[in-house]
Amino acid sequence: MSTHRMIRNTVAGANYASHTPLDGTLARRRCRIAFAASMALLASTALGETQPAQNPSKPTATAPATEAKPEAALPPAPNYSGDIWERFTLTGDWGGSRNELAKKGITFDMYLTQVSQGVVDGGLDKEWQYGGRENVTLHLDLGRMGLIPGGFLTLEGEGNYGEFVGAHQTGTVLPANSNLLFPDTDGPQLYLSQLMYMQFVSHYFGFFIGKIDATSGDANLFAHSKGDRQFLNTAFAFNPIISVAAPAYALGAGIVILPTGNPHEFIITASVMDMEGQSSNSGFDTVFEGGTSFTTEARYTTHFFNLTGHQLVGGMYSDRLYTSVDQNLRNFIIPGLPIQKASGSWAVYYNFDQYLYQPDPKEDRGLGIFGRFGISDGDANPVHYFGSLGVSGKGLIPNRKHDQFGVGYFRLFASDSPALDTLGFRDSQGFEAYYEIAITPSILLTPDIQVIQPSQKSIDTQTVLGVRLTVKI
């Protein structure tokens, strides 16, 4: 996967567009630059997304341009107040201290996600599995803190526990539960998975460096997460075709370009990332020894018929030496036969999201469609083509404005390889539908169903049921 999760909130928050002067009082609260690698680059994630203005964890970054005082040009700090039926975090404002810290540029995001899931028809194993993932992220807006105008620092810790429905039960390439893939599958554990610094030097340009959590790339308004929101299947979290050319966590650096000065309109990112990176270590002992990933991505916000949408295109290349999938299986079995190598791997990808019905263009609410498409070299990468399409709705039911749902279909096209053919590896496809019930704005219960035709020819199409509970602490 790639890096992304950070810039989405950093730049979006920094809104250097035209409102935030680059003097002592700058930008905004969330430093989460998202960098771009496998899952797709930092910026697009949060940057073009419209967020409910009342959401304290993701407030809008718009401030009146006519205010005279520099302080007034700052976007409002998140507000954690309110009763449990209104606020977006379970623990609220901590007696007012959480709000005060936010005003000074210090904010915390804390999530706990639990999933119970099992194969109920077809597949290999019908045992139900239970597991969860915790995530704590500290955002420091160094400008709001009075330290470094335009500077942001993000520290993220995450871990998981329990078991999840994997290939041993389904025979699929893409896990039916992406939530327990991160930070890795060797839980229980807790790692410092991200330590990222971002600096804006003008309204149009910034850079980032550090250990990057690249799991938020290939951003999409309706189908994008670590499995804690929206879809559970990995096929809808990001384009899986890009996972070979970049790691999920690694040391890296890159630049952010805002052609219009507004991160909510247009953002371009370019980055380099160490292919040997792991969530469990700093990466300095192996930096760039096993290859380097190069990624670039652009995300543009559209307003067709006065409805919000996004167009995203990206590409990546890794100079790592891979084992080629385009060879006969006997090369791996018979001693002495040469195993063919592939020098490098590349992928090009595209995604879009588009509201078809949106009561208020300023709110992330309505009914829309999304899609992803990608192509790889098909030599180092066993997935040659990938595509997905779906429909999603947010806040459509009266008095249920925090509920959302999604229905999606994906198709994975395997590389044309003698070895894969011998192993019975074929194209696969699947369907998923979920409905996220907001018990409160901070407690979300999601029933989920998936019907998957696995990659292995010998395994029947299967039905996977699950339920997820996400708590924003």
Side-chain angles (χ1 to χ4, degrees):
M1 352 225 105
S2 194
T3 338
H4 198 96
R5 182 168 195 165
M6 321 171 228
I7 187 170
R8 102 187 227 175
N9 295 319
T10 307
V11 181
N15 197 355
Y16 276 110
S18 57
H19 304 308
T20 305
L22 209 66
D23 53 20
T25 55
L26 51 85
R28 193 181 130 95
R29 74 171 190 90
R30 301 218 333 153
C31 169
R32 223 205 259 231
I33 100 183
F35 146 141
S38 226
M39 295 180 45
L41 247 52
L42 335 107
S44 62
T45 316
L47 309 181
E49 299 179 7
T50 54
Q51 299 292 346
Q54 70 272 31
N55 185 339
S57 66
K58 295 182 179 179
T60 53
T62 303
T66 57
E67 296 288 353
K69 295 182 179 180
E71 295 84 355
L74 287 171
N79 182 5
Y80 296 96
S81 302
D83 61 36
I84 194 171
W85 305 108
E86 298 174 344
R87 63 182 185 242
F88 282 77
T89 58
L90 182 64
T91 58
D93 61 5
W94 304 344
S97 60
R98 197 173 191 178
N99 284 339
E100 288 302 312
L101 287 171
K103 292 177 183 178
K104 296 176 181 178
I106 304 172
T107 58
F108 299 87
D109 282 343
M110 295 178 285
Y111 296 84
L112 174 63
T113 304
Q114 303 171 77
V115 178
S116 179
Q117 192 179 42
V119 178
V120 298
D121 184 58
L124 295 171
D125 184 348
K126 294 181 172 58
E127 181 180 358
W128 276 71
Q129 306 290 358
Y130 165 79
R133 185 172 64 88
E134 61 276 349
N135 180 291
V136 180
T137 307
L138 170 64
H139 308 278
L140 302 178
D141 182 334
L142 303 183
R144 194 183 285 272
M145 295 170 68
L147 299 175
I148 305 175
F152 301 86
L153 183 65
T154 295
L155 293 87
E156 180 183 14
E158 60 181 326
N160 60 39
Y161 59 89
E163 302 293 335
F164 69 104
V165 173
H168 66 287
Q169 289 184 256
T170 63
T172 60
V173 172
L174 304 176
N177 178 5
S178 61
N179 184 61
L180 265 72
L181 293 179
F182 309 107
D184 62 34
T185 57
D186 295 329
Q189 82 291 89
L190 182 63
Y191 298 141
L192 179 62
S193 55
Q194 176 178 246
L195 178 56
M196 170 63 56
Y197 178 72
M198 170 174 272
Q199 178 67 55
F200 275 89
V201 297
S202 77
H203 296 218
Y204 305 96
F205 181 81
F207 65 87
F208 54 91
I209 188 169
K211 182 180 179 180
I212 299 168
D213 173 357
T215 59
S216 300
D218 192 27
N220 190 284
L221 195 62
F222 301 121
H224 185 82
S225 75
K226 284 186 178 180
D228 50 359
R229 302 292 304 274
Q230 300 179 340
F231 295 91
L232 266 172
N233 195 291
T234 310
F236 300 108
F238 59 93
N239 196 323
I241 208 165
I242 60 183
S243 60
V244 171
Y249 306 89
L251 293 178
I255 60 172
V256 181
I257 301 171
L258 309 178
T260 66
N262 188 345
H264 295 283
E265 293 179 353
F266 192 12
I267 180 167
I268 301 172
T269 57
S271 60
V272 294
M273 199 170 182
D274 176 26
M275 285 297 299
E276 292 294 315
Q278 300 289 335
S279 60
S280 56
N281 56 52
S282 66
F284 286 104
D285 54 341
T286 60
V287 61
F288 302 121
E289 290 183 357
T292 305
S293 174
F294 304 87
T295 306
T296 185
E297 181 178 285
R299 190 179 196 228
Y300 183 71
T301 301
T302 61
H303 301 283
F304 300 128
F305 307 105
N306 202 32
L307 299 170
T308 302
H310 302 92
Q311 299 286 321
L312 181 151
V313 62
M316 60 179 54
Y317 170 76
S318 167
D319 61 6
R320 190 173 193 169
L321 187 63
Y322 297 86
T323 298
S324 174
V325 299
D326 188 15
Q327 59 184 301
N328 200 293
L329 185 62
R330 65 173 179 267
N331 291 4
F332 299 96
I333 300 175
I334 302 176
L337 290 182
I339 296 179
Q340 299 173 23
K341 299 293 184 178
S343 179
S345 178
W346 59 265
V348 177
Y349 55 96
Y350 162 79
N351 87 47
F352 75 92
D353 56 68
Q354 178 62 56
Y355 270 112
L356 302 179
Y357 165 72
Q358 192 177 19
D360 186 345
K362 296 180 180 179
E363 291 188 0
D364 184 19
R365 186 170 70 87
L367 179 68
I369 57 175
F370 67 88
R372 277 190 174 91
F373 308 94
I375 179 174
S376 80
D377 54 88
D379 189 1
N381 197 331
V383 181
H384 200 182
Y385 306 99
F386 175 84
S388 65
L389 289 168
V391 178
S392 183
K394 302 182 179 183
L396 292 177
I397 300 177
N399 300 320
R400 303 293 309 171
K401 63 180 181 179
H402 302 303
D403 287 7
Q404 63 177 313
F405 70 88
V407 179
Y409 167 80
F410 72 87
R411 180 74 185 253
L412 180 154
F413 297 86
S415 298
D416 186 11
S417 160
L420 296 179
D421 289 341
T422 304
L423 291 171
F425 188 86
R426 63 178 176 185
D427 298 347
S428 65
Q429 57 188 330
F431 158 92
E432 180 178 1
Y434 76 89
Y435 190 94
E436 185 178 270
I437 305 166
I439 299 174
T440 74
S442 63
I443 304 175
L444 310 169
L445 182 67
T446 308
D448 181 269
I449 181 172
Q450 302 178 39
V451 179
I452 306 170
Q453 180 193 64
S455 304
Q456 296 183 29
K457 297 178 182 179
S458 60
I459 303 175
D460 294 335
T461 298
Q462 59 213 250
T463 301
V464 183
L465 297 181
V467 60
R468 175 181 64 205
L469 180 66
T470 300
V471 180
K472 296 182 283 186
I473 302 172

